[in-house]
């Protein structure tokens, strides 16, 4: 809980700093410091044993000046209002960074889907859509998957929404299965985006990806696809980890073997005896470090021991603000989460565009468009950091917040 409060207040602090640097007034900060709308719902669900359980859900809409709000729905026991609010603000930043015609939104339900049957999860998903149906829609607020939600859950949700509206509405939600209007490339989009950022950062630092030593914390959806992309690009992935520990081989790990053996929760190290701790993993001698697991991993305590010259944040919030400063002072190039993990929302946007026009693209087209969008975003933020003399995180917030701030100004809201 304290961590979430911290996430919310630290997001507010950086937004304030970014707006001040950009020359906006205090009134603009007052508008953007929290979501315009925060909706709390109670969802009764008939459980398999015949009892009724009432779940709490949220939907936050940070700001819709630049377009409909957009953001995932998280199913997790620790979901809470502060976290949903902070994450909706991050979505505004990501949309601004990649220049998508959206504002930020986010949703969540306090539940543990790992303890529920498929039928219970389906009834909960449909109940959530009924509860929020009035405030969402293809040109209002567009949900997507997030932690513990997937394309099957998106399918139930779009089905429920289409029933309520009485016409097929694929553009109501993204992250759908391909047969229901999903986009090619969506599943791997986050890791693709991280990969593009790594390539751009390596160019800036004169590091050749072929033979570069890469360490990845986390071997789930983001970390495992990323390990594969790096391996295929000729990099040496010398360290990976999961919740139980890490694996290290200075000569490079056998990524294909590890991918083959990992379980669906991203666990792999339990199959090995010679493991290292996650703390040791982060401090390994390497060129590129990618935290792709959980938040608050690089802190004041260990920032001085990080040996990588490039840190690319695939996870949300893996580096504290104090550690960000230490790394910047040490000359480490840090590619912040709001930029590095924006591949997912970018391909979600492509999915929504395809649904709206009813014309579908190949995976090559999606990947080419993603590449163009992220290289442009990276360059924009890198240039901003250089010309304004700020670190990459503050530069990303400056680029990210500007679109919504300008749109709010033109609309006469501030
Ligand atoms: P996931 O659940 O698929 O995998 C998480 C991985 O982290 C697993 O390997 C797990 O074992 C490991 N892990 C869990 N706790 C750990 C700990 N205490 N120490 C070390 N490792 C630990 O999750 P994911 O989808 O790969 O997401 C990873 C991060 O990337 C999250 O911060 C997520 O918010 C962020 N992210 C993911 C996406 C996406 O599309 N998947 C998009 C944007 C951001």
């Amino acid at each position: 809980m304290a961590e979430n409060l911290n996430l919310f207040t630290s997001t507010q602090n950086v937004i304030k700093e970014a707006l001040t640097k950009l020359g906006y007034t205090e009134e603009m900060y007052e508008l953007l410091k929290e979501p315009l709308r925060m909706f709390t719902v109670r969802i009764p669900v008939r459980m398999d044993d015949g009892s009724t359980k009432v779940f709490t859900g949220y939907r936050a809409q940070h700001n819709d000046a630049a377009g409909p709000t957009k953001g995932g729905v998280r199913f997790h026991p620790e979901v809470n209002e502060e976290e949903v609010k902070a994450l909706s603000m991050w979505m505004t930043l990501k949309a601004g960074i990649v220049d998508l015609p959206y504002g930020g939104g986010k949703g969540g339900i306090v539940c543990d889907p790992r303890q529920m049957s498929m039928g219970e999860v389906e009834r909960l998903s449909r109940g959530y859509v009924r509860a929020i149906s009035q405030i969402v829609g293809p040109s209002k607020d567009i949900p997507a998957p997030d932690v513990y939600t997937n394309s099957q859950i998106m399918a139930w949700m779009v089905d429920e929404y289409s029933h309520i509206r009485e016409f097929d509405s694929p553009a109501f939600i993204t992250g759908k299965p391909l047969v229901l209007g999903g986009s090619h490339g969506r599943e791997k989009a986050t890791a693709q985006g991280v990969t593009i950022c790594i390539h751009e950062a390596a160019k800036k630092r004169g590091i050749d990806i072929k033979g570069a030593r890469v360490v990845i914390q986390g071997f789930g959806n983001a970390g495992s696809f990323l390990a594969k992309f790096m391996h295929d690009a000729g990099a040496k992935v010398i360290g990976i980890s999961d919740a139980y520990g890490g694996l290290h081989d200075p000569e490079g790990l056998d990524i294909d073997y590890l991918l083959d053996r990992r379980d669906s929760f991203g666990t792999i190290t339990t199959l090995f005896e010679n493991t290292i701790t996650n703390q040791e993993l982060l401090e390994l001698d390497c060129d590129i470090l990618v935290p792709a697991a959980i938040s608050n991993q690089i802190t004041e305590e260990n920032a001085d021991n990080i040996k990588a010259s490039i840190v690319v944040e695939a996870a949300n919030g893996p580096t504290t603000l104090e550690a960000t400063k230490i790394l910047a002072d040490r000359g480490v190039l840090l590619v912040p989460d709001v930029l590095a993990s924006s591949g997912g929302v970018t391909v979600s946007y492509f999915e929504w565009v395809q649904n709206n026009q009813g014309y579908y693209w190949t995976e090559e087209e999606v990947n080419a468009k993603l590449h163009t969008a992220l290289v442009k975003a990276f360059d924009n933020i890198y240039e901003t950091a250089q010309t304004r003399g700020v670190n990459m995180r503050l530069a990303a917030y400056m680029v990210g917040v500007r679109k919504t701030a300008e749109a709010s100004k033109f609309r006469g809201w501030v």
Side-chain angles (χ1 to χ4, degrees):
M1 187 66 197
E3 192 183 302
N4 291 318
L5 207 56
N6 189 16
L7 183 74
F8 183 53
T9 50
S10 66
T11 303
Q12 285 184 322
N13 289 342
V14 190
I15 285 184
K16 183 164 195 164
E17 209 180 337
L19 288 170
T20 308
K21 280 265 178 214
L22 292 167
Y24 288 105
T25 60
E26 180 68 23
E27 289 163 338
M28 188 60 83
Y29 175 66
E30 277 301 308
L31 177 70
L32 299 181
K33 73 178 187 186
E34 30 189 315
L36 287 177
R37 286 177 288 276
M38 179 69 192
F39 204 50
T40 304
V41 294
R42 300 274 288 151
I43 312 153
V45 175
R46 182 62 46 86
M47 307 303 278
D48 289 348
D49 65 4
S51 66
T52 295
K53 201 166 163 193
V54 185
F55 293 86
T56 300
Y58 303 101
R59 187 73 196 169
Q61 298 174 339
H62 177 235
N63 188 296
D64 53 5
T69 46
K70 171 117 194 67
V73 183
R74 180 171 290 201
F75 282 11
H76 197 277
E78 280 156 32
V79 161
N80 62 71
E81 215 175 309
E82 298 297 323
E83 181 185 69
V84 175
K85 277 157 73 169
L87 293 173
S88 75
M89 289 153 79
W90 282 26
M91 290 307 297
T92 292
L93 297 169
K94 288 189 190 188
I97 284 168
V98 200
D99 200 13
L100 309 178
Y102 292 138
K106 201 79 185 188
I109 302 178
V110 187
C111 66
D112 191 347
R114 292 165 300 184
Q115 310 292 332
M116 296 165 68
S117 71
M118 286 278 277
E120 290 167 346
V121 172
E122 175 177 352
R123 293 191 287 280
L124 176 62
S125 306
R126 291 183 183 276
Y128 180 67
V129 171
R130 286 194 298 277
I132 64 166
S133 66
Q134 288 176 344
I135 62 156
V136 290
S139 48
K140 261 189 189 174
D141 183 12
I142 306 129
D146 194 76
V147 174
Y148 293 151
T149 50
N150 56 23
S151 59
Q152 174 62 76
I153 292 175
M154 300 304 108
W156 289 323
M157 288 188 173
V158 76
D159 184 62
E160 190 67 25
Y161 185 82
S162 297
H163 274 293
I164 294 169
R165 291 282 171 262
E166 297 184 339
F167 49 80
D168 191 31
S169 312
F172 150 67
I173 207 162
T174 59
K176 300 178 293 292
L178 276 179
V179 289
L180 294 186
S183 177
H184 286 290
R186 177 64 183 82
E187 194 192 14
K188 297 177 186 164
T190 300
Q192 284 279 13
V194 178
T195 304
I196 294 164
C197 288
I198 291 175
H199 279 276
E200 294 310 299
K203 273 190 227 160
K204 298 288 181 207
R205 281 295 150 97
I207 294 174
D208 189 354
I209 289 292
K210 278 204 172 59
R213 294 163 308 153
V214 179
V215 170
I216 302 169
Q217 184 191 32
F219 208 54
N221 179 284
S224 65
F225 282 129
L226 177 67
K228 175 78 178 145
F229 292 150
M230 286 289 98
H231 180 67
D232 290 350
K236 247 199 246 177
V237 181
I238 62 163
I240 60 109
S241 74
D242 58 27
Y244 307 95
L247 302 175
H248 176 219
D249 182 347
E251 296 311 314
L253 295 160
D254 184 346
I255 295 302
D256 288 325
Y257 174 77
L258 297 176
L259 287 172
D260 200 40
R261 304 296 302 274
R262 74 186 263 275
D263 72 13
S264 61
F265 294 103
T267 306
I268 180 72
T269 62
T270 44
L271 301 176
F272 295 83
E273 277 176 4
N274 283 333
T275 57
I276 58 173
T277 65
N278 266 285
Q279 210 46 52
E280 287 165 339
L281 178 105
L282 294 170
E283 299 178 11
L284 285 175
D285 192 10
C286 64
D287 303 302
I288 300 162
L289 172 65
V290 186
I294 54 167
S295 56
N296 294 330
Q297 294 302 291
I298 305 176
T299 65
E300 269 177 304
E301 308 294 310
N302 63 359
D304 274 319
N305 304 333
I306 301 295
K307 309 212 177 38
S309 55
I310 296 172
V311 174
V312 181
E313 296 182 329
N316 284 324
T319 315
T320 63
L321 291 184
E322 296 78 19
T324 300
K325 293 203 174 75
I326 296 171
L327 294 179
D329 289 346
R330 291 185 47 223
V332 175
L333 176 55
L334 181 136
V335 183
D337 43 19
V338 281
L339 167 60
S341 69
S342 60
V345 67
T346 306
V347 176
S348 266
Y349 164 64
F350 296 159
E351 180 175 335
W352 179 77
V353 170
Q354 292 170 78
N355 295 149
N356 281 325
Q357 63 185 7
Y359 178 71
Y360 289 85
W361 309 340
T362 62
E363 183 150 1
E364 290 71 33
E365 283 175 280
V366 170
N367 286 341
K369 286 179 166 68
L370 175 63
H371 188 264
T372 305
L374 284 205
V375 170
K376 193 171 154 210
F378 184 97
D379 284 346
N380 195 2
I381 289 169
Y382 189 81
E383 281 304 311
T384 303
Q386 298 292 308
T387 54
R388 304 296 295 262
V390 297
N391 66 46
M392 287 282 282
R393 190 181 313 283
L394 183 52
Y397 272 60
M398 288 165 69
V399 170
V401 82
R402 185 185 282 147
K403 183 166 187 165
T404 287
E406 280 304 290
S408 300
K409 229 167 97 179
F410 272 115
R411 285 181 187 271
W413 293 357
V414 173

